[in-house]
Amino acid sequence: MKRLIALLWLLGLALAQGLALWQAVEVPGGVCADGSPYRFYVSPGDPRKVVLDFQGGGACWDAATCGPESRTYRKRVDTQELALAQGIYNRISVANPFYGWTHVFIPYCTGDLHVGRATVDYGGFRVHHQGARNVQAVLEYVFKNHTNPERVFVTGCSAGAYGAVFWADKVLSTYKNAQVAVCGDAGVGVRTEGFPGFARWNPRLPDLPGLSANPEVWQIYLALAKGYPKAVLAQYTTVLDGTQIFFYGLMKGEATPSEATAREWAQKALEAVLRPAQAENYTFYLAPGGQHCILPRPELYTAKVGEVSFLDWLRGLAEGKVPPRVRP
């Protein structure tokens, strides 16, 4: 019992120390899915180097996935990643490619991939899909407090990967003189043809030429790469990402995805990652297995495909380089 108490005490101390490095910034008018208030977090560092990090946390688009008991999305601000302090959240490790950078953590609690502009009644309950309002407030803060950064890294895991790519145009058009890299972690954009999410959410879409009103994610990567040739665009995913397959199954009405659905997702994911490769300033890192996300995990420091470690690949992005395209 004494050993268990000691371990719990050490865990609590570690979590407290992880959170101590972050400052909460309240957002007047910001709102989460359940109506609770929104805030974001900043870990101060070099003001010339800024990480804009969109949190992941599922999505919802109908009465079943958006219901009060649903566990497919975050409904209020949650700082688990900051408390665990792993991967890029390990702020005290010199091995972290973003050691010493200012890190802005953009929580996700609206079920709309950070882009919604609607409050929806799903039959007896309402969900505030107001991700765009929240992100806009974060970006206004960042642009005001970091007027001329030298390097900017825009990223996010899972739903945050979509937030990163859907808002990258705003960052790139504001920081025209900065060295900007955009890296989506485990959000390649595979969806069913009739997926109703975007119609429900009334999303804020990137301001890029040639995009349709309902663009595929790979089209946004390609448009960003062509529109901002000095930027670096990148994606990471495992080839059988279990979480992305799970959500693809939900779109098809499968509570548990079938093997056929998993194979179908894997093929479409590969196509989605490869299609923007016609742009020289676009790259990717495909890893074997089914793990979801790498940036918040300790595997960030150990993963390797062939002769290329993910850490070296990520460090190249942080330095404004176009690292090699990697696949198993």
Side-chain angles (χ1 to χ4, degrees), residues 188-268:
V188 300
V190 176
R191 65 190 187 197
T192 56
E193 186 173 343
F195 175 63
F198 291 104
R200 299 272 196 277
W201 303 331
N202 184 31
R204 183 269 173 191
L205 296 174
D207 184 14
L208 296 165
L211 287 183
S212 68
N214 191 20
E216 298 288 345
V217 170
W218 71 263
Q219 294 173 322
I220 301 175
Y221 275 104
L222 184 57
L224 287 167
K226 290 183 175 180
Y228 297 93
K230 293 182 180 180
V232 183
L233 286 303
Q235 290 198 74
Y236 166 91
T237 190
T238 53
V239 295
L240 285 171
D241 185 315
T243 298
Q244 292 189 73
I245 291 171
F246 169 75
F247 275 96
Y248 185 57
L250 283 184
M251 295 177 201
K252 297 177 67 176
E254 300 176 1
T256 301
S258 64
E259 289 187 15
T261 290
R263 290 194 298 270
E264 186 178 297
W265 179 89
Q267 180 59 41
K268 290 186 175 183

